[in-house]
Amino acid sequence: MFLEECEIIENIKISEDKYLLKVKSEKSYKYTKAGQFFMLECKKYLRRPISVHNADKNILEFYYQVKGDGTKNLSEISEIVNIHGPLGNGFETHIKNKNLLLVAGGMGIAPFKFLINKLKEKNNITLIFGGASESAIKIIEYFDTKNIKLYITTDDGSIGDKCNSVDKTKELLKENNFYLIYTCGPEIMMKGIIKLALENNIKCFASMEQRMACGVNACLGCNIEIFDNLDKEKKIKNAKVCHDGPVFDAKYLVI
Ligand code: FES
């Protein structure tokens, strides 16, 4: 991992409180995997963990939501940002000739642009992207969706199908054989997707979100419970989202 001062190429508003930050990286980009994150400096506030949205040549992208003073500060900078990473484990991407389903809810789309770019040449990709309304899914306009199957769902029906992404997943599972499901988004959505994956015997990787203070395995801020093994009396242990995740094999998650 590196500490790097990066020149900002752009830091633009996508919709309401959602922003896309593009920076030039000299070192970190070479080692960055889809699903990892960086701790971004937010001037006088603590660093914030932000997923890597894309890494292409030496440009790193971050899609983030303004949730408080730190991220508000981040949305206002335009010249240099200090980044620390890449951190976390990232998604499995060494997969070929498979039908893969990606299910994202709201800001859970953040790690999927890079993941799609890594997987799409050698696999058939189906993406379900759900949000509250049209503005929540606006970032999809910045994706190259030419060679993937895309299903948009919104709660208010302002664009795409008026349903949630769990219902859409249920529908697609009836007609398709998926080898693997990747999911990222609100906890309630991921629980639904993981349940469907387990019921249908489909391997599933879930990217978990948890409050992170340090991002580097040095505090206890990001603990979640996972199964220690898959024996009958499943023992439970703690895992750190920043260090053991953020991506977990869903069958180990206590949901
Ligand atoms: Fe500190 Fe994970 S955020 S240990």
Side-chain angles (χ1 to χ4, degrees):
M1 73 183 93
F2 303 94
L3 261 182
E4 200 176 3
E5 292 277 310
C6 294
E7 181 191 330
I8 295 176
I9 300 167
E10 60 183 13
N11 191 10
I12 53 169
K13 189 175 193 163
I14 300 298
S15 64
E16 291 167 4
D17 51 1
K18 299 170 188 66
Y19 287 78
L20 181 63
L21 170 67
K22 288 189 190 179
V23 306
K24 264 191 203 161
S25 156
E26 298 299 328
K27 297 176 281 198
S28 329
Y29 77 95
K30 291 184 201 155
Y31 306 94
T32 303
K33 296 196 292 184
Q36 289 188 299
F37 67 95
F38 281 76
M39 297 297 285
L40 268 58
E41 194 175 65
C42 300
K43 292 191 185 155
K44 53 187 193 262
Y45 298 96
L46 285 175
R47 287 175 183 270
R48 294 290 186 271
I50 313 278
S51 273
V52 177
H53 188 51
N54 198 23
D56 186 16
K57 306 209 171 75
N58 66 334
I59 296 175
L60 290 174
E61 292 180 31
F62 301 94
Y63 175 54
Y64 65 97
Q65 184 173 23
V66 172
K67 286 183 178 168
D69 292 335
T71 40
K72 170 112 184 39
N73 229 315
L74 184 63
S75 73
E76 289 163 354
I77 57 175
S78 58
E79 289 174 8
I80 299 285
V81 62
N82 186 287
I83 67 172
H84 181 207
L87 299 163
N89 56 0
F91 288 110
E92 168 63 55
T93 54
H94 297 289
I95 298 170
K96 274 192 217 162
N97 307 321
K98 303 287 187 206
N99 284 332
L100 305 174
L101 176 63
L102 281 63
V103 187
M107 290 304 295
I109 195 70
F112 281 3
K113 183 175 181 182
F114 193 17
L115 181 63
I116 290 169
N117 290 342
K118 283 279 166 200
L119 294 170
K120 70 179 179 184
E121 269 178 31
K122 295 182 178 158
N123 298 280
N124 297 318
I125 307 287
T126 301
L127 170 65
I128 300 174
F129 180 21
S133 63
E134 185 170 3
S135 69
I137 54 98
K138 195 130 187 75
I139 188 70
I140 200 68
E141 293 171 13
Y142 296 78
F143 282 51
D144 176 4
T145 55
K146 268 198 304 289
N147 296 318
I148 68 169
K149 278 189 206 150
L150 172 65
Y151 297 88
I152 298 288
T153 68
T154 48
D155 299 343
D156 65 0
S158 50
I159 189 168
D161 292 344
K162 187 177 178 182
C163 65
N164 65 47
S165 38
V166 178
D167 289 338
K168 194 73 197 171
T169 302
K170 237 183 245 173
E171 189 186 313
L172 294 192
L173 287 178
K174 285 184 194 149
E175 304 151 8
N176 298 273
N177 284 319
F178 292 109
Y179 171 74
L180 177 55
I181 299 176
Y182 299 91
T183 186
C184 184
E187 196 178 321
I188 187 158
M189 181 209 86
M190 289 213 285
K191 281 184 178 174
I193 301 300
I194 290 168
K195 197 163 166 275
L196 284 173
L198 297 178
E199 280 168 9
N200 287 276
N201 262 324
I202 303 171
K203 197 170 175 62
C204 178
F205 288 116
S207 179
M208 305 302 287
E209 198 180 314
Q210 194 74 352
R211 288 189 82 85
M212 288 184 195
C214 71
V216 291
N217 197 20
C219 68
L220 295 171
C222 65
N223 274 355
I224 59 165
E225 289 188 331
I226 63 169
F227 293 119
D228 193 15
N229 56 55
L230 299 176
D231 297 346
K232 269 208 183 119
E233 43 354 310
K234 291 177 167 177
K235 277 201 191 137
I236 288 175
K237 66 175 183 181
N238 283 328
K240 288 183 177 174
V241 171
C242 71
H243 180 256
D244 306 304
V247 179
F248 291 87
D249 184 333
K251 62 179 184 280
Y252 287 93
L253 291 170
V254 180
I255 58 168

